[in-house]
Amino acid sequence: CEREVALQLNIDNLRSQNKVLSKESESLRDEKASFDEYQKQIESMQEGKSVLQQQLTDSEERRCEREVALQLNIDNLRSQNKVLSKESESLRDEKASFDEYQKQIESMQEGKSVLQQQLTDSEERRCEREVAL
């Protein structure tokens, strides 16, 4: 009889422990589910971070490419400016020569005008002499 009472007490204690363990187990399952959800959120954030990092890297690469392109453009424009500057200097020299030729032509035209007038005057005098003769 004592043995049955002891066994019954042991069964009651085990049932009581079982209830406690069941509650702990349920609580731990809830915590694990919560932890799993947090883990998913962390993984999602890490994926987002990875995407953002890649976008930043891509953006920096494009910025660097644009800077290189702009520098090449600047170098090309400087080169073109040097060429245009030389051409401009050459054209100024040519214009100065042209202006000098223009002055010579005008001077010759004035001389031609004077000679034409002298010829006209000479022919008029010749005609007057012929009439007088």
Side-chain angles (χ1 to χ4, degrees), residues 78-109:
R78 284 184 178 150
S79 178
Q80 288 175 2
N81 281 347
K82 285 181 183 177
V83 169
L84 290 172
S85 184
K86 287 180 182 177
E87 286 180 13
S88 180
E89 186 178 334
S90 175
L91 288 172
R92 280 193 295 274
D93 292 346
E94 286 183 34
K95 185 180 181 317
S97 292
F98 174 79
D99 289 347
E100 186 58 37
Y101 288 135
Q102 188 67 28
K103 286 179 185 176
Q104 290 175 2
I105 289 170
E106 288 172 1
S107 176
M108 287 179 189
Q109 286 174 338

Side-chain angles (χ1 to χ4, degrees), residues 21-37:
L21 290 174
S22 283
K23 286 181 182 179
E24 283 182 18
S25 180
E26 187 178 336
S27 176
L28 288 172
R29 276 193 297 274
D30 290 346
E31 284 184 34
K32 184 180 181 317
S34 188
F35 173 79
D36 289 346
E37 185 59 35

Side-chain angles (χ1 to χ4, degrees), residues 14 23 28 30 34 41 48 51 56 59 62 67-68 73-75 79 82 117 122-124 133:
L14 288 172
K23 286 181 182 179
L28 288 172
D30 290 346
S34 188
Q41 289 176 2
V51 167
L56 178 62
S59 176
R62 285 192 303 275
E67 285 179 4
V68 167
N73 197 9
I74 288 169
D75 293 344
S79 178
K82 285 181 183 177
Q117 187 59 46
S122 173
E123 286 178 354
E124 284 178 3
L133 289 173

Side-chain angles (χ1 to χ4, degrees), residues 16-58:
S16 177
Q17 287 176 358
N18 195 5
K19 284 182 184 179
V20 170
L21 290 174
S22 283
K23 286 181 182 179
E24 283 182 18
S25 180
E26 187 178 336
S27 176
L28 288 172
R29 276 193 297 274
D30 290 346
E31 284 184 34
K32 184 180 181 317
S34 188
F35 173 79
D36 289 346
E37 185 59 35
Y38 287 134
Q39 188 65 29
K40 286 179 186 175
Q41 289 176 2
I42 288 170
E43 288 171 2
S44 176
M45 284 189 227
Q46 287 172 334
E47 288 173 8
K49 178 184 173 188
S50 182
V51 167
L52 289 174
Q53 186 63 43
Q54 186 59 47
Q55 289 174 345
L56 178 62
T57 300
D58 293 347

